[in-house]
């Protein structure tokens, strides 16, 4: 595949805060790294700052291991089993709720949730020497309650031994037990700047890549100077709760981040799947209209259309296809390629075809054909339109 990003440029990477959702950013970084995208500087808030430290260290293996094996008790002084039940709707009972609230009131009485484990996690995984020696610039955003001001810290200029403390300062979410650091009190950087792109703009960066995870916090309004390019890599489904430090969820989010980054890097198409699209628009129009006449008639009748055999093809193109595009929520700017790929994706999803791999259109069609034969669905529907109509109520699966 040919990259759509200019690999001759050096990019600034902006890492949004968002707690447990941060695994997504490591997956995206892996894809950028593999593609040869050069990172000149990183700015991060909260978990984005922690991930930024790992990126500056260029230690992908450590970052992947950290997130693939994360647990609640590695971040907060809590019981892992209780937290798992709390985030599992099937296990939420009145008794569990009372037990949880009792624990919450106990922690609040003690000044908040103890995040001593997070301090230990940072101590174990962040190498200050490697960061200082890294060619990558590194900025961390937090808010000083003591000084009543937002801080965008150049991490290579902080006094020796204080870098890890500043990472912790950036992650003090409300409700966490807040211990003074070097005589000052801080709060999570997301309180004032959850997506610190302004930090790199002020340093003169012309090309930014935003790794979005949609954490809770204030997203500052930023004026983008003329000539600056901003590329966004973002999930299209919910990454979970900010405090859901579950290893299984994190592994899933890392995988999603990796493939979402591939979509941006290589210009892959699709909203559900990752499709390498190499055909012209006329190819997709041909695929849509070559439906067998009998099937086309059934599709029209499903929408209470048709009736005049001589106008059937015209009505199919001018009325049915726009209705189908609306059904699939493609918006007014839809075209034949986006419609065909949306049909293809929805059928693939209905048939539970694996999502996380890069497909060409023929490859995805082949997978659909194989699954249809497995399920014994008649193969007389070459465009699979009827299957789509039968699956109108299908919702996005949390794979």
């Amino acid at each position: 595949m040919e990259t759509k990003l200019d690999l001759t440029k050096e990019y600034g990477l902006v890492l949004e805060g968002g707690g447990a959702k941060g695994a997504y950013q490591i997956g995206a970084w892996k894809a950028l790294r593999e593609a040869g995208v050069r990172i000149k500087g990183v700015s991060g808030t909260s978990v984005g700052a922690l991930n930024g430290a790992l990126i500056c260290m260029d230690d992908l293996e450590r970052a992947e291991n950290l997130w693939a094996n994360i647990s609640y008790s590695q971040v907060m002084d809590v019981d892992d089993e209780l937290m798992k039940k709390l985030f599992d709707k099937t296990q939420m009972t009145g008794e569990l709720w009372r037990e949880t609230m009792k624990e919450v009131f106990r922690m609040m009485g003690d000044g908040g949730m103890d995040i001593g484990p997070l301090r230990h996690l940072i101590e174990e995984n962040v190498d200050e020497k490697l960061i200082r020696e890294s060619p990558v610039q590194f900025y961390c955003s937090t808010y000083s309650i003591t000084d009543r001001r937002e801080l965008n810290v150049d991490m290579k200029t902080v006094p020796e031994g204080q870098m890890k403390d500043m990472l912790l300062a950036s992650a003090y979410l409300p409700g966490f037990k807040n211990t003074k650091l070097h005589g000052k009190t801080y709060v999570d950087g997301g309180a004032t700047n959850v997506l610190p792109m302004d930090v790199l703009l002020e340093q003169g960066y012309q090309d930014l890549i935003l790794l979005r995870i949609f954490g809770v916090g204030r997203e500052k309004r930023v004026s983008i100077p003329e000539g600056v390019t901003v590329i966004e890599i973002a999930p299209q489904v919910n990454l979970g709760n900010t405090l859901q430090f579950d290893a299984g969820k994190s592994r899933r989010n890392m995988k999603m981040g990796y493939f979402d980054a591939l979509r941006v890097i290589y210009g892959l198409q699709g909203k559900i799947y990752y499709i390498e699209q190499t055909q012209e628009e006329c190819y997709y129009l041909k695929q849509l209209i070559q439906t067998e006449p009998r099937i086309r008639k059934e599709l029209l009748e499903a929408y209470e259309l048709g009736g005049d055999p001589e106008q059937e093809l015209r009505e199919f193109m001018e009325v049915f296809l726009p209705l189908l595009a609306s059904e699939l929520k493609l918006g007014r700017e839809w075209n034949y390629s986006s419609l065909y790929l949306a049909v293809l994706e929805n059928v693939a999803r209905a048939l539970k075809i694996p999502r996380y791999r890069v497909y060409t259109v023929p490859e995805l069609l082949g997978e659909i054909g194989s699954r249809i034969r497995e399920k014994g669905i008649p193969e007389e529907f070459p465009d699979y339109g009827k299957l789509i109509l039968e699956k109108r109520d299908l919702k996005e699966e949390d794979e």
Side-chain angles (χ1 to χ4, degrees), residues 25-73:
Q25 295 173 338
I26 296 304
W29 171 48
K30 178 180 181 179
L32 292 167
R33 190 171 181 264
E34 288 179 351
V37 176
R38 295 190 292 168
I39 305 300
K40 179 182 178 182
V42 176
S43 66
T45 294
S46 193
V47 73
L50 173 58
N51 284 336
L54 296 169
I55 290 170
C56 284
M57 291 162 56
D58 197 29
D59 196 338
L60 177 60
E61 183 179 1
R62 179 182 292 273
E64 287 185 310
N65 286 337
L66 187 160
W67 282 106
N69 298 290
I70 197 74
S71 66
Y72 299 97
S73 60

Side-chain angles (χ1 to χ4, degrees), residues 99-117:
E99 184 181 354
T100 301
M101 292 309 296
K102 182 179 178 181
E103 183 66 12
V104 168
F105 285 125
R106 182 194 67 77
M107 288 187 294
M108 296 309 292
D110 290 341
M113 190 177 294
D114 183 1
I115 57 168

Side-chain angles (χ1 to χ4, degrees), residues 50 210 212-213 253 263 268 277 337 371 377 391:
L50 173 58
L210 313 184
R212 303 300 309 267
I213 51 177
N253 287 346
R263 175 178 280 136
L268 302 178
Q277 198 269 87
S337 61
R371 193 61 59 90
I377 300 172
K391 297 290 181 181

Side-chain angles (χ1 to χ4, degrees), residues 21 53 82 150 199 219 236 295 314 325 350:
K21 303 178 185 184
L82 176 62
E150 178 184 328
V199 180
E219 186 176 330
Q236 299 190 46
I295 305 304
R314 181 175 179 178

Side-chain angles (χ1 to χ4, degrees), residues 18-22 46-47 50 66-67 69-80 83 107 112-122 124-125 168 171-173 175-177 188 242-247 250:
K21 303 178 185 184
S46 193
V47 73
L50 173 58
L66 187 160
W67 282 106
N69 298 290
I70 197 74
S71 66
Y72 299 97
S73 60
Q74 287 182 309
V75 180
M76 307 164 280
D77 185 15
V78 294
D79 180 82
D80 282 323
M83 295 299 290
M107 288 187 294
M113 190 177 294
D114 183 1
I115 57 168
L118 176 59
R119 177 185 286 277
H120 180 67
L121 186 74
I122 292 172
E124 274 195 328
N125 289 281
L168 190 63
Y172 271 136
L173 285 168
F176 284 173
K177 185 179 290 186
D188 188 284
T242 301
L243 296 179
Q244 196 172 2
F245 291 97
D246 174 82
S250 290

Side-chain angles (χ1 to χ4, degrees), residues 236 270-272 288 303 319-350 383-396:
Q236 299 190 46
K271 293 184 177 180
I272 304 168
L288 288 165
Y303 279 86
V319 182
F320 172 74
L321 292 184
L323 282 172
L324 185 58
S326 176
E327 180 88 24
L328 295 171
K329 300 178 180 179
L330 298 184
R332 293 184 178 182
E333 302 302 316
W334 70 274
N335 53 30
Y336 296 124
S337 61
S338 66
L339 177 56
Y340 183 77
L341 292 176
V343 170
L344 205 62
E345 286 191 285
N346 277 270
V347 174
R349 181 179 61 179
D383 66 353
Y384 313 113
K386 188 171 182 180
L387 181 58
I388 282 295
L389 294 176
E390 293 170 349
K391 297 290 181 181
R392 282 190 233 179
D393 295 330
L394 189 69
K395 294 183 180 179
E396 179 72 59

